[in-house]
Amino acid sequence: MRIVAMVSLWLLPAWVWAVQLPPGFSLQTVSDRVPDARQMAWGAQGTLFVGSRKQGKVYALRDLDGDGHYETRDIIAKGLFMPSGIAFRDGALYVAAVNRILRFDDIEANLMDPTYEVAFDGLPSDSHHGWKFIRFDSSGRLIVPVGAPCNVCNRGRPYASLLALHLQKGHYEVLATGVRNSVGFDFHPRTGELFFSDNGRDHLGDDSPPDEINRLSTAGADFGFPFVHGNSVLDPQFRTSEDRLRAVQPPWFELQAHVAPLGVHFYRGTQFPAPYRQALFIAEHGSWNRSSKVGYRVTMLREDEQGAPQYQVVIDGWLDGEQPLARPVAFLEHPDGSLLISDDYNGAVYKLTYTDSPAHADR
């Protein structure tokens, strides 16, 4: 059973959109003043930082009166090169600006007059698939994807790979290759394995190749791009040997082609019911060149008793025919156990909460 919840879209008041949520869940807007909202990060003092892609800005949001809405907004940087990815560590905000990683030290004490230093330089400067999602691992390395600068091509490393940056030493390791365009990843809360999304190539039809959710169990694994997509789709532009096929790491789960998975997140809280705990949430940003649009929703994967991933829709209704109403990008757990979701289409951040009552959505 799914609950249909009605809410007026604040940016386009004439629209009324039907949000479908599982029973017991509610959805509310915590900010609608974050144009092109992408990755989010918490500061140590409760500041909500949000990156952007097209705007070139990084935002700091604060809930000063404690009502759950982030009315105060500071623009701590502007004019940056697609600063989509951000991460917070030891009082500093790290920003991925395509070819550079910037560090804003002691940022929460300097929101009105922030300055930055270049923490890492020398990444490729291609804008095509150049925007990034970043996160520190448990050893302090900054994990950074470098997308392929094309629809399909073979440009060699560090393109189409996942990197682990050693910021203090100024070098990186290659964690995975054959990754066309990953804009979201997370570490499994029990095993520590890295799970990441990957967007499949375009112009092979409406239903091919699949988008992917991948699991990195062995450093240096090859996930196939540009030679093979999904489990078995061979690229028509490249010859692929049997040896290469055998060496490719298959996806953990194949998603529908063109749903455009961006952020992924293992839910670690306890507010949501047991079936959602340690499940992998997926932001399906939505198709742009399919004859009929797909995606524009939040889904999740959870393992059954045999360890096989089971697919479930969590939030639906953000596609009205062929008209998008919202485009989810990334997730961030709230300290109260709810889940924040950024939306670059409306410049908003939503909060998914389990209320143990019939689902509803409101501002």
Side-chain angles (χ1 to χ4, degrees):
M1 178 182 180
R2 299 184 66 77
I3 304 296
V4 177
M6 302 300 295
V7 59
S8 296
L9 188 60
W10 59 95
L11 292 180
L12 294 168
W15 289 3
V16 176
W17 43 299
V19 177
Q20 301 171 24
L21 303 170
F25 283 87
S26 66
L27 188 70
Q28 67 179 128
T29 304
V30 298
S31 177
D32 58 2
R33 302 180 59 236
V34 199
D36 197 44
R38 301 287 288 192
Q39 191 176 3
M40 301 171 287
W42 287 116
Q45 300 173 28
T47 306
L48 177 61
F49 296 100
V50 187
S52 71
R53 180 163 63 101
K54 299 174 185 176
Q55 297 294 320
K57 299 176 181 178
V58 178
Y59 301 92
L61 308 180
R62 289 174 290 168
D63 175 18
L64 297 182
D65 57 11
D67 67 352
H69 291 80
Y70 289 78
E71 300 90 354
T72 302
R73 182 194 70 172
D74 297 307
I75 299 175
I76 64 171
K78 59 184 179 180
L80 299 181
F81 189 12
M82 296 193 294
S84 177
I86 60 174
F88 186 89
R89 183 179 177 87
D90 296 333
L93 182 70
Y94 293 79
V95 177
V98 181
N99 58 316
R100 302 186 301 168
I101 305 298
L102 312 178
R103 186 185 70 243
F104 294 76
D105 289 323
D106 199 15
I107 182 62
E108 287 180 290
N110 296 284
L111 293 177
M112 304 305 294
D113 188 26
T115 59
Y116 67 80
E117 296 182 2
V118 177
F120 194 92
D121 203 354
L123 295 171
S125 59
D126 307 77
S127 59
H128 195 133
H129 298 153
W131 54 93
K132 294 171 172 54
F133 179 99
I134 61 175
R135 177 171 287 163
F136 284 95
D137 69 5
S138 59
S139 65
R141 302 178 303 176
L142 186 65
I143 311 303
V144 178
V146 178
C150 56
N151 174 37
V152 59
C153 60
N154 186 20
R155 290 282 298 274
R157 297 179 182 177
Y159 294 106
S161 65
L162 296 179
L163 308 179
L165 307 187
H166 295 261
L167 296 179
Q168 292 184 339
K169 298 179 180 179
H171 67 85
Y172 62 78
E173 303 171 50
V174 177
L175 293 182
T177 61
V179 181
R180 177 179 179 269
N181 181 31
S182 178
V183 199
F185 56 85
D186 197 7
F187 299 94
H188 194 285
R190 284 188 291 103
T191 69
E193 291 176 303
L194 183 66
F195 286 70
F196 62 92
S197 63
D198 195 9
N199 287 251
R201 66 157 293 180
D202 298 309
H203 311 307
L204 285 186
D206 275 359
D207 300 310
S208 182
D211 287 333
E212 302 175 9
I213 301 296
N214 291 299
R215 176 174 59 191
L216 178 64
S217 300
T218 304
D222 179 2
F223 289 86
F225 179 85
F227 304 98
V228 59
H229 312 281
N231 280 305
S232 58
V233 179
L234 302 183
D235 197 280
Q237 293 183 215
F238 297 91
R239 292 185 177 181
T240 306
S241 67
E242 290 296 326
D243 287 343
R244 181 180 292 277
L245 280 176
R246 284 192 291 268
V248 167
Q249 177 71 41
W252 184 60
F253 190 83
E254 291 186 336
L255 296 168
Q256 184 179 2
H258 307 301
V259 298
L262 298 190
V264 296
H265 176 77
F266 283 106
Y267 178 72
R268 296 166 172 79
T270 58
Q271 182 191 105
F272 293 1
Y276 297 87
R277 297 175 189 174
Q278 298 193 2
L280 184 70
F281 283 73
I282 306 166
E284 296 187 6
H285 193 236
S287 56
W288 64 272
N289 65 344
R290 196 175 185 275
S291 62
S292 59
K293 289 184 171 63
V294 291
Y296 303 93
R297 61 187 186 179
V298 172
T299 58
M300 76 176 192
L301 292 167
R302 58 189 179 96
E303 294 179 303
D304 61 17
E305 294 180 355
Q306 288 72 44
Q310 303 297 309
Y311 182 77
Q312 178 181 330
V313 177
V314 180
I315 303 176
D316 208 352
W318 281 336
L319 185 61
D320 181 10
E322 292 297 295
Q323 176 61 56
L325 302 178
R327 302 192 75 180
V329 176
F331 303 101
L332 182 66
E333 276 190 39
H334 194 280
D336 66 9
S338 59
L339 192 62
L340 300 183
I341 306 165
S342 60
D343 168 16
D344 62 355
Y345 188 77
N346 294 306
V349 177
Y350 311 126
K351 184 178 183 181
L352 180 67
T353 304
Y354 185 70
T355 61
D356 198 24
S357 60
H360 65 281
D362 55 42
R363 288 193 61 184

